[in-house]
Amino acid sequence: FGSTIPGWGFATSPLVEGDLLLVEAGGKAGKSLVAFNKKSGGVVWASHTDEAAYSSPIAITFNGIRQVIFLTSQTLLSVSPKDGQIYWKYPWPEGINIATPILIPEDKIFISASYDKGAVLVKMKTAQGKITAEEIWKSRVMKNHFNSSVLRGNYLYGFDDGTLKCIEVNTGEEQWAERGFAKGSLILADGHLIILGEQGKLALVEATPSGYKEKSSFQVLQGQCWTSPTLAGGKLYVRNQKEMLCLDMTGRN
C-alpha cells in the first residue's frame, strides 16, 4: 500500500469487526486504513491518507451508528466499518501517537500523547444525519507515552510521562499526582489500579479521585518494564525485556 514502516515497527493492533479485519496500514493515496476479509484476506475497502501511528483502533456505537475510531500520525478520525466512509476528523499535531483512544460514554472520545503534546476531549454530535466532533478541552495535564489511561466513573487514571495522575474527564482538572513509578503502566480491575513501574515496582492502588491510596506494593522485576500487566483468571502476568512472571492474585495460596 506504499506504507513507510514506523520507526518502532507496526505496533498498532488490528481490529476484528464482524467479517472484517481492520488495519492501520499507513498507506498512500487513500490507503492509510484498510479493511480485509478476515477469512480470505481480500481487501474490502481502503480509506484516508496518513502515515501509521502506534495507537490501536476501537469500535463504538453512537446514536445507533457503528464507528471505528483511529488515531493516525496526524488525525483522530471516525470511519464506517462497512465501507470506510469518513464520518468526522479532528486534526492532531504530527508526532508519535501510541495510547489508544478511549470512549467516554456515551458521546466523547479522549486521546493523549507524550512528546509535549498532551490530551484532548472531543464530543460527537449528530445533525441532519451527519456526525461531527467538537473539542471540549485540550491540555498538557496528561501526556500518555506508551500506556493508555483507564476510565472509572468520571475520572481518568494514567501516566503523565513519569507521573501517575488522576484527572476529571469532563474538565481535565487534575485531582492528584504521585511519583515513584517513572514511566509505568496500569490496568483497572475491581475498583483498583494494578500498576507496574518502569523499573519493576508492582502496586495495588484504590481507583479513587480523593487521593493516592496504595494498598500494597512489591518489587517484582528489575530492568525496563514497558509492557502493561495482564490479568486473567485471577493470575497477573508481568514482564520486563528478559523474563515474564505469573502471580496469583486470588490470595488462595
Side-chain angles (χ1 to χ4, degrees):
F1 303 108
S3 306
T4 300
I5 298 176
W8 288 275
F10 284 100
T12 173
S13 299
L15 175 69
V16 174
E17 174 70 9
D19 290 330
L20 300 177
L21 181 72
L22 307 181
V23 176
E24 186 174 327
K28 302 182 185 300
K31 296 179 180 178
S32 177
L33 314 176
V34 181
F36 300 91
N37 181 297
K38 71 178 185 182
K39 296 179 180 179
S40 69
V43 174
V44 177
W45 56 256
S47 182
H48 191 52
T49 301
D50 197 359
E51 293 185 0
Y54 305 94
S55 174
S56 299
I58 60 171
I60 68 169
T61 301
F62 168 67
N63 277 0
I65 301 173
R66 191 65 169 170
Q67 307 173 62
V68 178
I69 308 297
F70 286 88
L71 179 58
T72 60
S73 180
Q74 301 180 59
T75 313
L76 172 68
L77 74 159
S78 162
V79 302
S80 166
K82 293 181 180 180
D83 56 13
Q85 174 191 348
I86 297 175
Y87 288 128
W88 57 264
K89 292 182 180 181
Y90 176 84
W92 187 239
E94 183 176 5
I96 301 172
N97 299 321
I98 305 173
T100 299
I102 298 174
L103 172 66
I104 311 299
E106 300 172 336
D107 58 359
K108 302 179 185 72
I109 302 293
F110 171 85
I111 57 171
S112 180
S114 187
Y115 300 94
D116 210 33
K117 293 178 73 170
V120 69
L121 183 72
V122 300
K123 182 176 181 178
M124 296 176 289
K125 295 182 178 181
T126 53
Q128 298 178 341
K130 294 184 178 180
I131 309 175
T132 60
E134 64 178 19
E135 182 182 301
I136 301 299
W137 60 260
K138 188 177 183 179
S139 171
R140 295 176 68 252
V141 68
M142 184 72 81
K143 300 180 291 295
N144 294 154
H145 186 190
F146 53 84
N147 181 242
S148 305
S149 295
V150 296
L151 175 70
R152 185 173 191 240
N154 290 326
Y155 299 92
L156 283 163
Y157 304 84
F159 277 92
D160 175 29
D161 283 332
T163 303
L164 177 65
K165 285 186 178 180
C166 170
I167 65 172
E168 207 283 330
V169 69
N170 293 301
T171 63
E173 293 182 1
E174 181 180 309
Q175 306 300 301
W176 54 260
E178 181 75 16
R179 300 188 68 85
F181 294 98
K183 290 186 176 182
S185 56
L186 78 170
I187 58 174
L188 179 69
D190 196 21
H192 289 76
L193 307 173
I194 299 176
I195 303 165
L196 181 63
E198 187 172 14
Q199 298 302 317
K201 176 184 175 181
L202 184 69
L204 184 68
V205 176
E206 187 178 346
T208 173
S210 62
Y212 177 82
K213 298 181 180 181
E214 184 178 293
K215 296 293 186 67
S216 62
S217 64
F218 187 73
Q219 190 72 33
V220 294
L221 290 167
Q222 302 292 331
Q224 191 176 73
C225 302
W226 274 26
T227 302
S228 300
T230 300
L231 182 65
K235 293 182 172 57
L236 185 72
Y237 301 87
V238 294
R239 75 175 182 91
N240 57 21
Q241 294 183 323
K242 295 182 178 180
E243 61 182 338
M244 176 182 284
L245 296 180
C246 176
L247 307 170
D248 191 299
M249 297 287 283
T250 64
R252 296 170 186 163
N253 292 339

